[in-house]
Amino acid sequence: MRVKPSMVGLVAYQPGKPIEEVKRELGLDEVIKLASNENPYGCSPRVKQVIQDSFNELAIYPDGYARELREGVAEHLGVKETELLFGNGSDDVILILCRSFLTGGDNIVTATPTFPQYRHNAVIEGAEVKEVPLEDGVHDLDAMLEAIDENTKMVFVCNPNNPSGTYVGEKSFLDFIKRVPKDVLVISDEAYFEYVAAQDYPDTIPLLKEYSNLVILRTFSKAYGLASLRIGYGIANESLIQSVDPGREPFNTNTFAQRAAYEALLDQEFIQECYKKNREEMERFERFCNEEGYKYYPSHGNFILMDLQKPGSEIFDYLLKNGFITRNGEALGFPTSVRITLGTKQQNEKLIELLKKLP
C-alpha cells in the first residue's frame, strides 16, 4: 500500500516533550513544561464542576452542532450563530479549510517561520506553499501580496505570530486585506488574541461584514487553559461557513470540550487575571534580556523568543537537564534562540537564574 505522493516525506507535528518522559529519561523529580504555550494558571474553576457533571453522559454522542457553546460564543463576539465553525482545536479548522478549498495546482501564501500546520495541511492536499520570510520578525505583507497569483486560494496571517510573538497592526492589516483579491481567503489566525497588549491590534470581527473572504481563527487552548480538550473555532460569513461545513467530521468536538469552553467563556474575570499576570512575567523576561544584552522580539503572546547567541540545541539541552522543557529555536527557524512559554512567577524566576548561569 502506498500513500498519495503529497504525503511522502511529510513529518508529523512534533509537540514538546511530555513531562513524565523527561522525568524517566533524566531521573528528575520535578519537570516544568514551558514548551507548548499552555496557560500555567490552568483554567477557570467553573470548568471543573461541569466536567464532573458530564461523566454520566460518556455513552452519548456529543451535540454535533455545539448549540450551547455556539450561542455563547456568538453572543460574546456579537456575531451570528451561523457564522461559526467549531473544530478539534483551531488547527482542525485549518484542516477543514484546506480540505474544502485546495487541490493540486493551487497554492497558499504564508510567512516563514510561522505556525507549521498551514504548510502541512496544504501539502497534503497537493497544493504549493509560497513562503515569504518575516521582516524583523513580522509578516512582510507587501511581499505576501506580491506572492499571490491566479492559483492562490488562501493567505495566512498568524497574528500574533508563532514563534516570534510579533503582530501585524491595524493599518497594515486593513491596507493588506483591501488589496487581496476577493476570491482569495485571508485567514487571520488569532490563537493568542486574549494576550495581546497592543492598542493598534486589528479589530477583525467588524471586518466580516465588509470582507466575505475573511476567516478569523480563535481557540480555547491558550488563555482559556483547555488545551487537552481540543476546541477552537473559525468565524466567517454565513455562506462560507455553510460551504465548508461538510468538510467537518461528525461530532468533531466532544461534550466535555463544549461544556468546558462554554463555562470558561463566562469567566472573563479569570481571563483578565491571566492577561495581567502574563504581562507582568513578560516584562520580567524583557528586563532579563535587556540586562544581559540578549535580543528578543517584543511578544504579544504568552511566550517569548530569545536569541541567547548559542545553538538552540545547547540551550534546550541545558534547560532540559535542569528540569525545564522549552522549544529549541533551531526547529523553529531561529538557530540561536529558544522559545519559552511564560510560566508562573516562581517558575520564571527559577528559569531566569538558570539562564544567567548558561555556560
Side-chain angles (χ1 to χ4, degrees), residues 108-134:
I108 69 166
V109 175
T110 78
T112 184
T114 193
F115 186 52
Q117 291 306 100
Y118 313 144
R119 157 180 273 280
H120 189 85
N121 284 291
V123 168
I124 288 175
E125 301 303 329
E128 176 190 4
V129 180
K130 303 176 79 173
E131 296 178 310
V132 177
L134 298 174

Side-chain angles (χ1 to χ4, degrees), residues 17-267:
K17 274 179 168 284
I19 291 174
E20 293 306 316
E21 180 181 329
V22 173
K23 285 182 176 180
R24 287 195 302 270
E25 287 181 359
L26 300 179
L28 298 173
D29 294 325
E30 181 185 22
V31 172
I32 299 169
K33 183 184 176 189
L34 299 177
S36 300
N37 304 338
E38 296 145 334
N39 188 338
Y41 310 107
C43 61
S44 167
R46 300 176 62 127
V47 169
K48 297 175 183 177
Q49 185 60 53
V50 77
I51 291 290
Q52 287 183 325
D53 293 344
S54 300
F55 279 137
N56 292 331
E57 299 179 41
L58 289 175
I60 301 172
Y61 282 109
D63 175 5
Y65 189 66
R67 178 170 297 280
E68 182 181 52
L69 178 59
R70 183 179 297 274
E71 291 174 350
V73 171
E75 181 179 356
H76 179 69
L77 298 179
V79 301
K80 296 190 292 186
E81 298 170 23
T82 50
E83 294 177 319
L84 296 168
L85 176 69
F86 290 92
N88 186 39
S90 56
D91 44 4
D92 184 36
V93 180
I94 296 168
L95 182 153
I96 293 167
L97 292 170
C98 289
R99 173 188 286 178
S100 301
F101 286 100
L102 299 178
T103 60
D106 296 329
N107 69 62
I108 69 166
V109 175
T110 78
T112 184
T114 193
F115 186 52
Q117 291 306 100
Y118 313 144
R119 157 180 273 280
H120 189 85
N121 284 291
V123 168
I124 288 175
E125 301 303 329
E128 176 190 4
V129 180
K130 303 176 79 173
E131 296 178 310
V132 177
L134 298 174
E135 186 173 27
D136 195 24
V138 182
H139 283 57
D140 186 346
L141 296 184
D142 289 336
M144 292 175 73
L145 274 169
E146 292 179 7
I148 295 173
D149 61 27
E150 65 276 8
N151 296 318
T152 303
K153 291 291 183 68
M154 303 174 176
V155 55
F156 286 88
V157 179
C158 188
N159 200 23
N161 185 50
N162 179 11
S164 62
T166 56
Y167 76 102
V168 170
E170 184 172 42
K171 184 180 184 303
S172 297
F173 187 81
L174 288 175
D175 290 345
F176 174 73
I177 196 170
K178 287 175 184 176
R179 297 160 62 191
V180 174
K182 300 303 180 186
D183 61 347
V184 175
L185 285 185
V186 176
I187 302 170
S188 180
D189 188 346
E190 302 175 4
Y192 300 94
F193 171 81
E194 291 80 9
Y195 289 115
V196 176
Q199 296 299 307
D200 63 336
Y201 183 78
D203 184 7
T204 49
I205 298 293
L207 299 179
L208 293 169
K209 296 178 180 178
E210 184 176 355
Y211 296 98
S212 60
N213 60 330
L214 174 62
V215 180
I216 303 163
L217 303 181
R218 301 271 177 92
T219 184
F220 287 95
S221 295
K222 304 304 180 184
Y224 286 95
L226 301 180
S228 70
L229 293 178
R230 310 305 302 124
I231 188 157
Y233 57 98
I235 320 154
N237 76 80
E238 184 175 0
S239 62
L240 192 154
I241 294 294
Q242 287 181 341
S243 68
V244 302
D245 194 53
R248 175 178 61 85
E249 295 296 322
F251 311 114
N252 67 327
T253 60
N254 66 74
T255 298
F256 288 87
Q258 291 178 24
R259 292 182 179 173
Y262 179 79
E263 290 298 324
L265 190 68
L266 296 178
D267 193 353

Side-chain angles (χ1 to χ4, degrees), residues 187-349:
I187 302 170
S188 180
D189 188 346
E190 302 175 4
Y192 300 94
F193 171 81
E194 291 80 9
Y195 289 115
V196 176
Q199 296 299 307
D200 63 336
Y201 183 78
D203 184 7
T204 49
I205 298 293
L207 299 179
L208 293 169
K209 296 178 180 178
E210 184 176 355
Y211 296 98
S212 60
N213 60 330
L214 174 62
V215 180
I216 303 163
L217 303 181
R218 301 271 177 92
T219 184
F220 287 95
S221 295
K222 304 304 180 184
Y224 286 95
L226 301 180
S228 70
L229 293 178
R230 310 305 302 124
I231 188 157
Y233 57 98
I235 320 154
N237 76 80
E238 184 175 0
S239 62
L240 192 154
I241 294 294
Q242 287 181 341
S243 68
V244 302
D245 194 53
R248 175 178 61 85
E249 295 296 322
F251 311 114
N252 67 327
T253 60
N254 66 74
T255 298
F256 288 87
Q258 291 178 24
R259 292 182 179 173
Y262 179 79
E263 290 298 324
L265 190 68
L266 296 178
D267 193 353
Q268 289 301 306
E269 184 178 344
F270 174 80
I271 297 299
Q272 287 304 310
E273 187 64 25
C274 290
Y275 167 83
K276 180 182 176 182
K277 291 177 181 177
N278 186 73
R279 291 317 306 172
E280 290 171 353
E281 295 310 306
M282 186 69 73
E283 291 170 3
R284 184 187 309 280
F285 273 100
E286 290 175 348
R287 284 196 301 271
F288 163 73
C289 289
N290 292 331
E291 290 168 359
E292 299 293 327
Y294 293 132
K295 294 181 180 180
Y296 65 94
Y297 291 116
S299 175
H300 290 267
N302 64 336
F303 58 90
I304 186 169
L305 182 73
M306 302 185 299
D307 186 349
L308 300 179
Q309 302 162 18
K310 290 180 178 290
S313 56
E314 289 186 13
I315 307 166
F316 172 83
D317 288 340
Y318 167 74
L319 293 175
L320 191 67
K321 290 174 183 176
N322 284 279
F324 282 91
I325 309 172
T326 57
R327 287 304 292 264
N328 179 356
E330 293 176 1
L332 302 174
F334 296 90
T336 58
S337 297
V338 62
R339 191 194 71 190
I340 297 173
T341 303
L342 305 190
T344 64
K345 177 182 177 180
Q346 293 75 18
Q347 292 170 343
N348 296 333
E349 287 177 342

